[in-house]
Structure formats: C-alpha cells, structure tokens
Coordinates of all heavy atoms in Angstrom, one line a residue:
M1 N -14.6 -39.3 23.7 CA -15.6 -40.3 23.4 C -15.9 -41.2 24.6 O -17.1 -41.5 24.9 CB -15.2 -41.1 22.2 CG -16.2 -42.1 21.7 SD -17.6 -41.2 21.0 CE -18.5 -42.5 20.4
K2 N -14.8 -41.6 25.3 CA -15.0 -42.5 26.5 C -15.7 -41.7 27.6 O -16.5 -42.3 28.3 CB -13.6 -43.0 27.0 CG -13.0 -44.0 26.1 CD -11.7 -44.5 26.7 CE -11.1 -45.5 25.8 NZ -9.8 -46.0 26.4
R3 N -15.4 -40.4 27.7 CA -16.0 -39.6 28.8 C -17.5 -39.4 28.5 O -18.3 -39.5 29.4 CB -15.4 -38.2 28.8 CG -13.9 -38.3 29.3 CD -13.3 -37.0 29.2 NE -13.3 -36.4 30.5 CZ -13.0 -35.1 30.8 NH1 -12.7 -34.3 29.8 NH2 -13.0 -34.7 32.0
L4 N -17.9 -39.3 27.2 CA -19.3 -39.1 26.8 C -20.1 -40.4 27.1 O -21.2 -40.4 27.6 CB -19.4 -38.7 25.3 CG -20.8 -38.6 24.8 CD1 -21.5 -37.4 25.5 CD2 -20.8 -38.3 23.3
T5 N -19.4 -41.6 26.8 CA -20.1 -42.8 27.0 C -20.3 -43.1 28.5 O -21.3 -43.5 28.9 CB -19.2 -44.0 26.4 OG1 -19.0 -43.7 25.0 CG2 -19.9 -45.3 26.6
L6 N -19.2 -42.8 29.3 CA -19.3 -42.9 30.7 C -20.4 -42.0 31.3 O -21.2 -42.4 32.1 CB -18.0 -42.7 31.4 CG -17.9 -42.8 32.9 CD1 -18.2 -44.2 33.3 CD2 -16.5 -42.4 33.4
F7 N -20.4 -40.8 30.8 CA -21.4 -39.8 31.3 C -22.9 -40.3 31.0 O -23.8 -40.2 31.8 CB -21.2 -38.4 30.6 CG -22.3 -37.4 30.9 CD1 -22.3 -36.8 32.2 CD2 -23.2 -37.1 30.0 CE1 -23.3 -35.9 32.5 CE2 -24.2 -36.2 30.3 CZ -24.3 -35.6 31.6
L8 N -23.1 -40.8 29.7 CA -24.4 -41.3 29.4 C -24.8 -42.5 30.2 O -25.9 -42.7 30.6 CB -24.4 -41.7 27.9 CG -24.4 -40.5 26.9 CD1 -24.3 -41.0 25.5 CD2 -25.7 -39.6 27.1
L9 N -23.8 -43.4 30.5 CA -24.1 -44.6 31.3 C -24.5 -44.2 32.7 O -25.5 -44.7 33.3 CB -22.9 -45.5 31.3 CG -23.0 -46.8 32.1 CD1 -24.1 -47.7 31.5 CD2 -21.7 -47.5 32.1
V10 N -23.7 -43.3 33.3 CA -24.0 -42.8 34.7 C -25.4 -42.1 34.7 O -26.2 -42.3 35.6 CB -22.9 -41.9 35.2 CG1 -23.3 -41.2 36.5 CG2 -21.6 -42.7 35.4
T11 N -25.7 -41.3 33.7 CA -27.0 -40.6 33.6 C -28.1 -41.6 33.5 O -29.1 -41.4 34.2 CB -27.0 -39.6 32.4 OG1 -25.9 -38.8 32.5 CG2 -28.3 -38.9 32.4
C12 N -28.0 -42.6 32.7 CA -29.0 -43.7 32.6 C -29.2 -44.4 33.9 O -30.4 -44.6 34.3 CB -28.7 -44.7 31.5 SG -28.8 -44.0 29.8
I13 N -28.2 -44.7 34.6 CA -28.3 -45.4 35.9 C -29.0 -44.6 36.9 O -29.9 -45.0 37.6 CB -26.9 -45.9 36.4 CG1 -26.3 -47.0 35.5 CG2 -26.9 -46.4 37.8 CD1 -24.9 -47.4 35.8
I14 N -28.6 -43.3 37.0 CA -29.3 -42.4 37.9 C -30.7 -42.2 37.6 O -31.6 -42.2 38.4 CB -28.5 -41.0 37.9 CG1 -27.2 -41.2 38.5 CG2 -29.4 -40.0 38.7 CD1 -26.3 -39.9 38.4
A15 N -31.1 -42.1 36.3 CA -32.5 -41.9 35.8 C -33.3 -43.1 36.2 O -34.4 -43.0 36.7 CB -32.5 -41.6 34.4
L16 N -32.7 -44.3 36.0 CA -33.4 -45.6 36.3 C -33.6 -45.7 37.8 O -34.7 -46.1 38.3 CB -32.7 -46.8 35.8 CG -32.7 -47.0 34.3 CD1 -31.8 -48.1 33.8 CD2 -34.2 -47.2 33.8
T17 N -32.6 -45.3 38.6 CA -32.7 -45.4 40.1 C -33.8 -44.4 40.6 O -34.6 -44.8 41.4 CB -31.4 -45.0 40.7 OG1 -30.4 -45.9 40.2 CG2 -31.5 -45.2 42.2
I18 N -33.8 -43.2 40.1 CA -34.8 -42.2 40.5 C -36.2 -42.6 40.1 O -37.2 -42.5 40.9 CB -34.4 -40.8 40.0 CG1 -33.2 -40.3 40.7 CG2 -35.6 -39.8 40.2 CD1 -32.6 -39.0 40.1
S19 N -36.4 -43.1 38.9 CA -37.7 -43.5 38.4 C -38.2 -44.7 39.1 O -39.4 -44.8 39.3 CB -37.7 -43.7 36.9 OG -37.0 -44.9 36.6
G20 N -37.4 -45.6 39.6 CA -37.8 -46.7 40.4 C -38.3 -46.3 41.7 O -39.2 -47.0 42.3
C21 N -37.9 -45.2 42.3 CA -38.4 -44.7 43.6 C -39.8 -44.2 43.5 O -40.6 -44.2 44.4 CB -37.5 -43.6 44.1 SG -35.9 -44.1 44.5
F22 N -40.3 -43.8 42.3 CA -41.6 -43.3 42.1 C -42.6 -44.3 41.6 O -43.7 -43.9 41.4 CB -41.5 -42.0 41.2 CG -40.7 -40.9 41.8 CD1 -39.5 -40.6 41.2 CD2 -41.2 -40.2 42.9 CE1 -38.8 -39.5 41.7 CE2 -40.5 -39.2 43.4 CZ -39.3 -38.8 42.8
R23 N -42.2 -45.5 41.4 CA -43.1 -46.5 40.8 C -44.1 -46.9 41.9 O -43.7 -47.1 43.1 CB -42.2 -47.7 40.5 CG -42.8 -48.4 39.2 CD -42.0 -49.6 38.8 NE -40.5 -49.3 38.7 CZ -39.6 -50.2 38.6 NH1 -39.9 -51.4 38.7 NH2 -38.4 -49.9 38.5
G24 N -45.3 -47.0 41.5 CA -46.4 -47.4 42.5 C -46.3 -48.9 42.8 O -45.7 -49.6 42.1
E25 N -46.9 -49.2 43.9 CA -46.9 -50.6 44.3 C -47.9 -51.4 43.4 O -49.0 -51.0 43.1 CB -47.4 -50.7 45.8 CG -47.3 -52.1 46.3 CD -47.7 -52.2 47.8 OE1 -47.2 -51.3 48.5 OE2 -48.5 -53.0 48.1
K26 N -47.4 -52.5 42.9 CA -48.2 -53.4 42.1 C -49.4 -54.0 42.9 O -49.3 -54.2 44.1 CB -47.4 -54.5 41.4 CG -46.4 -54.0 40.4 CD -45.8 -55.2 39.7 CE -44.9 -54.7 38.6 NZ -44.2 -55.8 37.9
E27 N -50.4 -54.3 42.2 CA -51.6 -55.0 42.8 C -51.1 -56.3 43.2 O -50.5 -57.1 42.5 CB -52.7 -55.0 41.8 CG -53.9 -55.6 42.2 CD -54.9 -55.7 41.1 OE1 -55.0 -56.7 40.4 OE2 -55.7 -54.7 41.0
K28 N -51.5 -56.7 44.5 CA -51.1 -58.0 45.0 C -52.3 -58.9 44.8 O -53.3 -58.7 45.5 CB -50.7 -57.9 46.5 CG -49.5 -57.1 46.7 CD -49.1 -57.0 48.1 CE -47.9 -56.1 48.3 NZ -47.6 -55.9 49.7
S29 N -52.2 -59.9 44.0 CA -53.3 -60.8 43.7 C -52.8 -62.2 43.5 O -51.6 -62.4 43.1 CB -54.2 -60.3 42.6 OG -53.5 -60.4 41.4
L30 N -53.7 -63.2 43.7 CA -53.3 -64.6 43.5 C -54.6 -65.2 42.9 O -55.7 -65.0 43.3 CB -53.0 -65.2 44.9 CG -52.8 -66.7 45.0 CD1 -51.5 -67.1 44.3 CD2 -52.7 -67.1 46.4
I31 N -54.3 -66.1 41.9 CA -55.4 -66.8 41.3 C -55.3 -68.3 41.7 O -54.2 -68.9 41.5 CB -55.4 -66.7 39.8 CG1 -55.6 -65.2 39.4 CG2 -56.4 -67.6 39.1 CD1 -55.5 -64.9 37.9
V32 N -56.3 -68.8 42.3 CA -56.4 -70.2 42.7 C -57.7 -70.8 42.3 O -58.7 -70.3 42.8 CB -56.2 -70.3 44.3 CG1 -56.2 -71.8 44.7 CG2 -54.9 -69.7 44.7
D33 N -57.7 -71.9 41.5 CA -58.9 -72.6 41.2 C -60.1 -71.7 40.8 O -61.2 -71.7 41.3 CB -59.4 -73.5 42.3 CG -58.4 -74.6 42.6 OD1 -57.7 -75.0 41.7 OD2 -58.4 -75.1 43.8
N34 N -59.8 -70.9 39.8 CA -60.9 -69.9 39.3 C -61.4 -68.9 40.3 O -62.5 -68.4 40.1 CB -62.0 -70.7 38.7 CG -61.7 -71.4 37.4 OD1 -60.9 -70.8 36.6 ND2 -62.2 -72.6 37.1
V35 N -60.6 -68.6 41.3 CA -60.9 -67.6 42.2 C -59.7 -66.6 42.3 O -58.5 -67.1 42.4 CB -61.1 -68.2 43.6 CG1 -61.4 -67.0 44.6 CG2 -62.3 -69.1 43.6
R36 N -60.0 -65.3 42.2 CA -58.9 -64.3 42.3 C -59.0 -63.7 43.7 O -60.0 -63.2 44.1 CB -59.1 -63.2 41.2 CG -58.0 -62.2 41.3 CD -58.2 -61.3 40.1 NE -57.3 -60.1 40.2 CZ -57.7 -58.9 40.3 NH1 -59.0 -58.6 40.1 NH2 -56.9 -57.9 40.4
L37 N -57.9 -63.8 44.4 CA -57.8 -63.2 45.7 C -57.0 -61.9 45.6 O -55.8 -62.0 45.1 CB -57.1 -64.2 46.7 CG -57.8 -65.5 46.9 CD1 -56.9 -66.6 46.8 CD2 -58.5 -65.5 48.2
L38 N -57.5 -60.8 46.0 CA -56.9 -59.5 45.8 C -56.6 -58.9 47.2 O -57.6 -58.8 48.0 CB -57.8 -58.5 45.1 CG -57.3 -57.1 44.9 CD1 -56.0 -57.0 44.1 CD2 -58.4 -56.3 44.2
L39 N -55.4 -58.7 47.5 CA -55.0 -58.1 48.8 C -54.9 -56.6 48.7 O -54.1 -56.1 47.9 CB -53.6 -58.7 49.2 CG -53.0 -58.2 50.6 CD1 -53.9 -58.5 51.7 CD2 -51.6 -58.7 50.8
E40 N -55.7 -55.9 49.6 CA -55.7 -54.5 49.6 C -55.6 -54.1 51.1 O -56.5 -54.3 51.9 CB -57.0 -53.9 49.1 CG -57.2 -54.2 47.6 CD -58.6 -53.8 47.1 OE1 -59.6 -54.1 47.8 OE2 -58.7 -53.2 46.1
G41 N -54.4 -53.7 51.5 CA -54.1 -53.4 52.9 C -54.1 -54.7 53.7 O -53.3 -55.6 53.4
D42 N -55.0 -54.9 54.6 CA -55.1 -56.1 55.4 C -56.4 -56.8 55.0 O -56.9 -57.7 55.8 CB -55.0 -55.9 56.9 CG -56.0 -54.9 57.4 OD1 -56.7 -54.3 56.6 OD2 -56.1 -54.8 58.6
T43 N -57.0 -56.5 53.9 CA -58.3 -57.1 53.5 C -58.1 -57.9 52.2 O -57.4 -57.5 51.3 CB -59.3 -56.0 53.2 OG1 -59.5 -55.2 54.4 CG2 -60.7 -56.6 52.8
V44 N -58.6 -59.1 52.2 CA -58.6 -59.9 51.0 C -59.9 -60.0 50.4 O -60.9 -60.3 51.0 CB -58.1 -61.4 51.3 CG1 -58.1 -62.2 50.0 CG2 -56.7 -61.4 51.9
T45 N -60.0 -59.6 49.1 CA -61.3 -59.7 48.3 C -61.3 -60.8 47.4 O -60.3 -61.0 46.7 CB -61.5 -58.3 47.6 OG1 -61.4 -57.2 48.5 CG2 -62.9 -58.3 47.0
L46 N -62.4 -61.6 47.3 CA -62.5 -62.7 46.4 C -63.4 -62.4 45.2 O -64.4 -61.8 45.4 CB -63.2 -63.9 47.1 CG -62.3 -64.8 48.0 CD1 -62.0 -64.1 49.4 CD2 -63.0 -66.1 48.3
F47 N -62.9 -62.8 44.0 CA -63.6 -62.6 42.8 C -63.7 -64.0 42.1 O -62.7 -64.7 42.0 CB -63.0 -61.6 41.9 CG -62.9 -60.2 42.4 CD1 -61.9 -59.7 43.1 CD2 -64.0 -59.4 42.2 CE1 -61.8 -58.4 43.5 CE2 -64.0 -58.1 42.6 CZ -62.9 -57.6 43.3
S48 N -64.9 -64.4 41.7 CA -65.0 -65.6 40.9 C -64.6 -65.4 39.5 O -65.0 -64.4 38.9 CB -66.5 -66.1 40.9 OG -66.6 -67.2 40.1
L49 N -63.8 -66.3 38.9 CA -63.3 -66.1 37.5 C -64.1 -67.0 36.6 O -63.8 -67.0 35.4 CB -61.8 -66.5 37.5 CG -60.9 -65.6 38.2 CD1 -59.4 -66.0 38.1 CD2 -61.0 -64.1 37.8
S50 N -65.1 -67.7 37.1 CA -66.0 -68.4 36.2 C -67.3 -68.6 36.9 O -67.5 -68.2 38.1 CB -65.4 -69.8 35.9 OG -65.3 -70.5 37.1
R51 N -68.3 -69.1 36.2 CA -69.7 -69.2 36.8 C -69.6 -70.6 37.5 O -69.4 -71.6 37.0 CB -70.7 -69.3 35.6 CG -72.1 -69.2 36.1 CD -73.0 -69.1 34.9 NE -74.3 -69.0 35.3 CZ -75.3 -68.5 34.6 NH1 -75.1 -68.1 33.4 NH2 -76.5 -68.4 35.1
V52 N -69.9 -70.5 38.9 CA -69.8 -71.7 39.7 C -71.0 -71.7 40.7 O -71.7 -70.7 40.9 CB -68.5 -71.7 40.5 CG1 -67.3 -71.9 39.6 CG2 -68.3 -70.4 41.4
Y53 N -71.2 -72.9 41.3 CA -72.3 -73.0 42.3 C -71.7 -72.7 43.7 O -72.5 -72.2 44.6 CB -72.8 -74.4 42.3 CG -73.7 -74.7 41.1 CD1 -73.3 -75.5 40.1 CD2 -75.0 -74.2 41.1 CE1 -74.1 -75.7 39.0 CE2 -75.8 -74.5 40.0 CZ -75.4 -75.2 38.9 OH -76.2 -75.5 37.9
G54 N -70.4 -72.9 43.9 CA -69.8 -72.6 45.2 C -68.3 -72.5 45.1 O -67.7 -72.9 44.1
I55 N -67.8 -71.9 46.1 CA -66.3 -71.7 46.2 C -65.9 -72.3 47.5 O -66.5 -72.0 48.6 CB -65.9 -70.2 46.1 CG1 -66.3 -69.7 44.7 CG2 -64.4 -70.0 46.4 CD1 -66.1 -68.2 44.6
E56 N -64.8 -73.1 47.5 CA -64.3 -73.7 48.7 C -62.8 -73.4 48.8 O -62.1 -73.7 47.8 CB -64.5 -75.2 48.8 CG -64.0 -75.8 50.0 CD -64.2 -77.3 50.1 OE1 -65.4 -77.7 49.8 OE2 -63.3 -78.0 50.4
L57 N -62.3 -72.8 49.8 CA -60.9 -72.4 50.0 C -60.4 -73.0 51.3 O -61.1 -73.0 52.3 CB -60.7 -70.9 50.0 CG -61.1 -70.2 48.7 CD1 -61.0 -68.7 49.0 CD2 -60.1 -70.5 47.6
T58 N -59.2 -73.6 51.3 CA -58.6 -74.1 52.5 C -57.3 -73.2 52.8 O -56.5 -73.1 51.9 CB -58.2 -75.6 52.4 OG1 -59.4 -76.3 52.1 CG2 -57.6 -76.1 53.7
F59 N -57.2 -72.7 54.0 CA -56.1 -71.9 54.4 C -55.2 -72.7 55.3 O -55.8 -73.4 56.2 CB -56.5 -70.5 55.0 CG -57.3 -69.7 54.1 CD1 -58.7 -69.7 54.0 CD2 -56.7 -68.8 53.2 CE1 -59.4 -68.9 53.2 CE2 -57.4 -67.9 52.4 CZ -58.8 -68.0 52.4
S60 N -53.9 -72.6 55.2 CA -53.0 -73.3 56.1 C -52.8 -72.7 57.4 O -51.8 -73.0 58.1 CB -51.7 -73.6 55.4 OG -51.1 -72.4 55.1
S61 N -53.6 -71.8 57.8 CA -53.5 -71.2 59.2 C -54.9 -71.0 59.7 O -55.9 -71.1 59.1 CB -52.8 -69.8 59.1 OG -53.5 -68.9 58.3
D62 N -54.9 -70.7 61.0 CA -56.2 -70.5 61.7 C -56.7 -69.1 61.5 O -56.0 -68.1 61.8 CB -56.0 -70.8 63.2 CG -57.4 -70.8 63.9 OD1 -58.4 -71.2 63.3 OD2 -57.4 -70.4 65.1
I63 N -57.9 -69.0 60.9 CA -58.5 -67.7 60.6 C -59.8 -67.6 61.4 O -60.7 -68.5 61.2 CB -58.7 -67.4 59.1 CG1 -57.4 -67.5 58.4 CG2 -59.4 -66.1 58.9 CD1 -57.6 -67.5 56.9
S64 N -60.0 -66.6 62.2 CA -61.3 -66.6 63.0 C -62.4 -66.2 62.1 O -62.3 -65.5 61.1 CB -61.1 -65.6 64.1 OG -61.1 -64.3 63.6
S65 N -63.6 -66.7 62.4 CA -64.8 -66.3 61.6 C -65.2 -64.9 61.7 O -65.8 -64.3 60.8 CB -66.0 -67.2 62.0 OG -66.3 -67.0 63.4
D66 N -64.7 -64.2 62.8 CA -65.0 -62.8 62.9 C -64.3 -61.9 61.9 O -64.7 -60.8 61.6 CB -64.6 -62.3 64.3 CG -65.4 -62.9 65.4 OD1 -66.6 -63.4 65.1 OD2 -65.0 -63.0 66.5
S67 N -63.1 -62.4 61.4 CA -62.3 -61.7 60.4 C -62.8 -61.9 59.0 O -62.3 -61.3 58.1 CB -60.9 -62.0 60.6 OG -60.7 -63.4 60.2
L68 N -63.8 -62.7 58.8 CA -64.3 -63.0 57.5 C -65.7 -62.3 57.2 O -66.5 -62.3 58.1 CB -64.5 -64.5 57.3 CG -63.2 -65.3 57.4 CD1 -63.6 -66.8 57.4 CD2 -62.3 -65.0 56.3
T69 N -65.8 -61.7 56.1 CA -67.1 -61.1 55.7 C -67.5 -61.6 54.3 O -66.6 -61.9 53.5 CB -67.1 -59.6 55.7 OG1 -66.1 -59.1 54.8 CG2 -66.8 -59.0 57.1
S70 N -68.8 -61.6 54.1 CA -69.2 -62.0 52.7 C -70.5 -61.2 52.3 O -71.1 -60.5 53.2 CB -69.6 -63.5 52.7 OG -70.7 -63.8 53.5
S71 N -70.8 -61.2 51.1 CA -72.0 -60.5 50.6 C -73.2 -61.0 51.3 O -73.3 -62.2 51.7 CB -72.1 -60.7 49.1 OG -73.3 -60.4 48.6
E72 N -74.2 -60.2 51.4 CA -75.5 -60.7 52.1 C -76.2 -61.7 51.3 O -77.0 -62.5 51.8 CB -76.4 -59.5 52.3 CG -75.9 -58.5 53.3 CD -76.9 -57.3 53.5 OE1 -78.0 -57.4 53.0 OE2 -76.5 -56.4 54.2
Q73 N -75.9 -61.8 50.0 CA -76.4 -62.9 49.1 C -75.7 -64.2 49.2 O -76.1 -65.2 48.6 CB -76.4 -62.4 47.7 CG -77.2 -61.1 47.4 CD -77.1 -60.7 46.0 OE1 -76.1 -61.1 45.3 NE2 -78.0 -59.9 45.5
M74 N -74.6 -64.2 49.9 CA -73.8 -65.4 50.0 C -74.0 -66.1 51.4 O -74.2 -65.5 52.4 CB -72.3 -65.1 50.0 CG -71.8 -64.5 48.7 SD -71.7 -65.7 47.4 CE -71.3 -64.7 46.0
L75 N -74.0 -67.5 51.3 CA -74.0 -68.3 52.5 C -72.5 -68.7 52.7 O -71.8 -69.2 51.8 CB -74.8 -69.6 52.2 CG -74.7 -70.7 53.3 CD1 -75.3 -70.1 54.6 CD2 -75.5 -71.9 52.9
M76 N -72.0 -68.4 53.9 CA -70.6 -68.7 54.2 C -70.5 -69.8 55.3 O -71.2 -69.7 56.3 CB -69.8 -67.5 54.6 CG -68.4 -67.8 54.9 SD -67.4 -66.3 55.2 CE -68.1 -65.7 56.7
I77 N -69.7 -70.8 55.0 CA -69.4 -71.8 56.0 C -68.0 -71.7 56.4 O -67.1 -71.6 55.6 CB -69.7 -73.2 55.5 CG1 -71.2 -73.4 55.1 CG2 -69.3 -74.3 56.5 CD1 -71.5 -74.6 54.3
H78 N -67.7 -71.7 57.7 CA -66.4 -71.5 58.2 C -66.1 -72.7 59.2 O -66.9 -73.0 60.1 CB -66.2 -70.2 59.0 CG -65.0 -70.1 59.8 ND1 -64.8 -70.6 61.1 CD2 -63.8 -69.5 59.5 CE1 -63.6 -70.3 61.5 NE2 -63.0 -69.6 60.5
K79 N -65.0 -73.4 58.9 CA -64.6 -74.5 59.8 C -63.1 -74.4 60.0 O -62.3 -74.5 59.1 CB -64.9 -75.8 59.1 CG -64.6 -77.0 60.0 CD -64.9 -78.3 59.3 CE -64.5 -79.5 60.2 NZ -64.6 -80.7 59.5
G80 N -62.7 -74.3 61.3 CA -61.3 -74.2 61.6 C -61.0 -75.2 62.7 O -61.8 -75.5 63.6
D81 N -59.8 -75.8 62.6 CA -59.4 -76.8 63.6 C -58.1 -76.4 64.4 O -57.5 -77.2 65.0 CB -59.2 -78.2 62.9 CG -58.0 -78.2 61.9 OD1 -57.3 -77.1 61.8 OD2 -57.8 -79.2 61.3
G82 N -57.8 -75.1 64.3 CA -56.6 -74.6 65.0 C -55.4 -74.5 64.1 O -54.5 -73.7 64.3
E83 N -55.3 -75.4 63.1 CA -54.2 -75.4 62.2 C -54.6 -74.9 60.8 O -53.9 -74.2 60.1 CB -53.6 -76.8 62.1 CG -52.9 -77.2 63.4 CD -52.3 -78.6 63.3 OE1 -52.1 -79.1 62.1 OE2 -52.0 -79.2 64.3
K84 N -55.7 -75.4 60.3 CA -56.2 -75.1 59.0 C -57.6 -74.4 59.1 O -58.3 -74.6 60.1 CB -56.4 -76.3 58.1 CG -55.1 -77.0 57.8 CD -55.4 -78.2 56.9 CE -54.1 -78.9 56.6 NZ -54.4 -80.1 55.8
T85 N -58.0 -73.7 58.1 CA -59.3 -73.1 58.1 C -60.0 -73.4 56.7 O -59.3 -73.2 55.7 CB -59.3 -71.6 58.3 OG1 -58.6 -71.3 59.5 CG2 -60.7 -71.0 58.3
L86 N -61.2 -73.9 56.7 CA -61.9 -74.1 55.5 C -63.0 -73.1 55.4 O -63.7 -72.9 56.4 CB -62.6 -75.5 55.5 CG -63.5 -75.8 54.3 CD1 -62.7 -76.6 53.3 CD2 -64.7 -76.5 54.8
V87 N -63.1 -72.4 54.3 CA -64.2 -71.4 54.0 C -64.9 -71.8 52.7 O -64.2 -72.0 51.7 CB -63.6 -70.0 53.9 CG1 -64.7 -69.0 53.6 CG2 -62.8 -69.6 55.2
A88 N -66.2 -71.9 52.8 CA -67.0 -72.3 51.6 C -68.0 -71.2 51.4 O -68.6 -70.7 52.4 CB -67.7 -73.6 51.8
L89 N -68.2 -70.8 50.2 CA -69.2 -69.7 49.8 C -70.1 -70.3 48.8 O -69.6 -70.9 47.8 CB -68.5 -68.5 49.3 CG -67.6 -67.7 50.3 CD1 -66.7 -66.7 49.5 CD2 -68.5 -67.0 51.3
A90 N -71.4 -70.0 48.9 CA -72.3 -70.3 47.9 C -73.4 -69.2 47.8 O -73.7 -68.6 48.9 CB -73.0 -71.6 48.2
K91 N -73.9 -68.9 46.7 CA -74.9 -67.9 46.5 C -76.2 -68.5 46.7 O -76.5 -69.6 46.2 CB -74.8 -67.3 45.1 CG -75.5 -66.0 45.0 CD -75.1 -65.3 43.7 CE -75.8 -63.9 43.5 NZ -75.4 -63.3 42.3
I92 N -77.1 -67.9 47.5 CA -78.4 -68.4 47.8 C -79.3 -68.4 46.6 O -79.6 -67.3 46.1 CB -79.0 -67.6 49.0 CG1 -78.0 -67.8 50.2 CG2 -80.4 -68.2 49.4 CD1 -78.4 -66.9 51.4
G93 N -79.7 -69.5 46.2 CA -80.7 -69.6 45.1 C -80.2 -69.5 43.7 O -81.0 -69.6 42.7
E94 N -78.9 -69.2 43.5 CA -78.4 -69.1 42.1 C -76.9 -69.3 42.1 O -76.2 -69.5 43.1 CB -78.8 -67.8 41.5 CG -78.3 -66.6 42.3 CD -78.9 -65.3 41.8 OE1 -78.4 -64.8 40.7 OE2 -79.8 -64.7 42.4
E95 N -76.3 -69.3 40.9 CA -74.9 -69.5 40.7 C -74.1 -68.2 40.9 O -74.7 -67.1 40.8 CB -74.6 -69.9 39.2 CG -75.2 -71.3 38.9 CD -74.9 -71.7 37.5 OE1 -74.3 -70.9 36.7 OE2 -75.2 -72.9 37.2
I96 N -72.9 -68.3 41.3 CA -72.0 -67.2 41.4 C -71.5 -66.8 40.0 O -71.0 -67.7 39.3 CB -70.8 -67.5 42.3 CG1 -71.3 -67.9 43.7 CG2 -69.8 -66.3 42.4 CD1 -70.2 -68.4 44.6
E97 N -71.7 -65.6 39.6 CA -71.4 -65.2 38.2 C -69.9 -64.9 38.1 O -69.2 -64.6 39.0 CB -72.2 -63.9 37.8 CG -73.6 -64.1 37.8 CD -74.1 -65.0 36.7 OE1 -73.5 -65.1 35.7 OE2 -75.1 -65.7 37.0
E98 N -69.4 -65.0 36.8 CA -68.0 -64.7 36.5 C -67.7 -63.3 36.8 O -68.5 -62.4 36.5 CB -67.7 -65.0 35.0 CG -66.3 -64.8 34.6 CD -66.1 -65.1 33.2 OE1 -66.9 -65.9 32.6 OE2 -65.1 -64.6 32.6
G99 N -66.6 -63.0 37.5 CA -66.2 -61.6 37.9 C -66.9 -61.1 39.1 O -66.7 -60.0 39.5
E100 N -67.8 -61.9 39.7 CA -68.6 -61.4 40.9 C -67.7 -61.3 42.1 O -66.9 -62.2 42.4 CB -69.8 -62.3 41.1 CG -70.7 -61.8 42.2 CD -71.9 -62.7 42.3 OE1 -72.2 -63.5 41.4 OE2 -72.6 -62.5 43.3
N101 N -67.9 -60.2 42.9 CA -67.2 -60.0 44.1 C -67.9 -60.8 45.2 O -69.1 -60.6 45.5 CB -67.1 -58.5 44.5 CG -66.4 -58.2 45.8 OD1 -66.1 -59.1 46.6 ND2 -66.1 -57.0 46.0
C102 N -67.3 -61.8 45.8 CA -67.9 -62.7 46.7 C -67.8 -62.3 48.2 O -68.3 -62.9 49.1 CB -67.3 -64.1 46.6 SG -67.5 -64.8 44.9
S103 N -67.0 -61.3 48.5 CA -66.6 -61.0 49.8 C -67.2 -59.6 50.3 O -66.9 -59.2 51.4 CB -65.1 -60.9 50.0 OG -64.5 -60.1 49.1
Q104 N -68.1 -59.0 49.6 CA -68.7 -57.8 50.1 C -70.1 -58.0 50.4 O -70.9 -58.6 49.8 CB -68.7 -56.7 49.1 CG -67.3 -56.1 48.9 CD -67.4 -54.8 48.0 OE1 -68.5 -54.1 48.0 NE2 -66.4 -54.4 47.4

C-alpha cells in the first residue's frame, strides 16, 4: 500500500512538472485609471476601459516620441524631461469609446 501511494505521488509530481513546461505564457497586461496596457513583445497597446475625452499617462522613465504611435484619429501630446514622460491622447472631435484601441 505504501509503495502504491508513493508511486501515485511521484507520478502526480512528474505529470505536474511536465504539464507546467507546456503552459503558454500568460497575457501581460496592466490596468491603470480605466486604461488597459497590453504588452506584446516590445509593444504596448492601450485600450480605454470607459468612455473618456482624453487619456493622460505619466511614465517614470524617458521615452522618446519616436517610439510612440497612435491611431490617426488621435491627437498625441508627448512631453519628456529626461526622467519622466507624459503622454496625453485625445480623439479629434469626439470621445474615446470604451474598449477602443488608442495606439494603432
């Protein structure tokens, strides 16, 4: 009986270890002030989680304006001082809809 219990325990541990190797990478996302930031590779995509007139984000590092893109319908303001970066987005002529992708 002890041998069977030990065999089942070892089998379960091996099965869990093997299945953990095949698990896919979870989606990397962050929700901040009704904005969902989704990391895919080295690209961050912004989604509005509510209907808003504009989105303002402050990053604690210097981000060049060349590395930022936005939808053609969006007005983007970029202000960096070497330590922090402020990025503001607003949709021209209307509100940003809930679930809307703001960075394409």
Side-chain angles (χ1 to χ4, degrees):
M1 184 69 173
K2 289 182 180 179
R3 294 175 99 191
L4 179 62
T5 305
L6 181 62
F7 175 74
L8 289 174
L9 180 63
V10 170
T11 305
C12 287
I13 291 172
I14 291 172
L16 289 173
T17 303
I18 291 173
S19 67
C21 296
F22 295 111
R23 218 180 303 166
E25 187 176 312
K26 288 186 176 181
E27 182 180 90
K28 296 179 182 178
S29 67
L30 175 67
I31 296 176
V32 180
D33 294 334
N34 288 323
V35 176
R36 181 171 169 240
L37 299 132
L38 175 63
L39 178 63
E40 297 171 313
D42 60 351
T43 303
V44 176
T45 307
L46 278 78
F47 294 94
S48 175
L49 296 178
S50 62
R51 192 174 183 160
V52 294
Y53 287 104
I55 296 171
E56 180 180 312
L57 298 169
T58 303
F59 297 93
S60 61
S61 62
D62 188 31
I63 300 172
S64 72
S65 61
D66 297 336
S67 65
L68 300 170
T69 59
S70 64
S71 167
E72 290 182 12
Q73 298 176 340
M74 296 282 176
L75 171 66
M76 181 173 63
I77 298 171
H78 170 273
K79 181 182 178 188
D81 65 2
E83 294 179 17
K84 293 182 184 177
T85 303
L86 174 101
V87 178
L89 293 166
K91 195 167 184 182
I92 300 170
E94 56 189 285
E95 294 178 356
I96 299 171
E97 296 295 327
E98 181 178 342
E100 185 171 347
N101 182 345
C102 302
S103 53
Q104 285 192 24

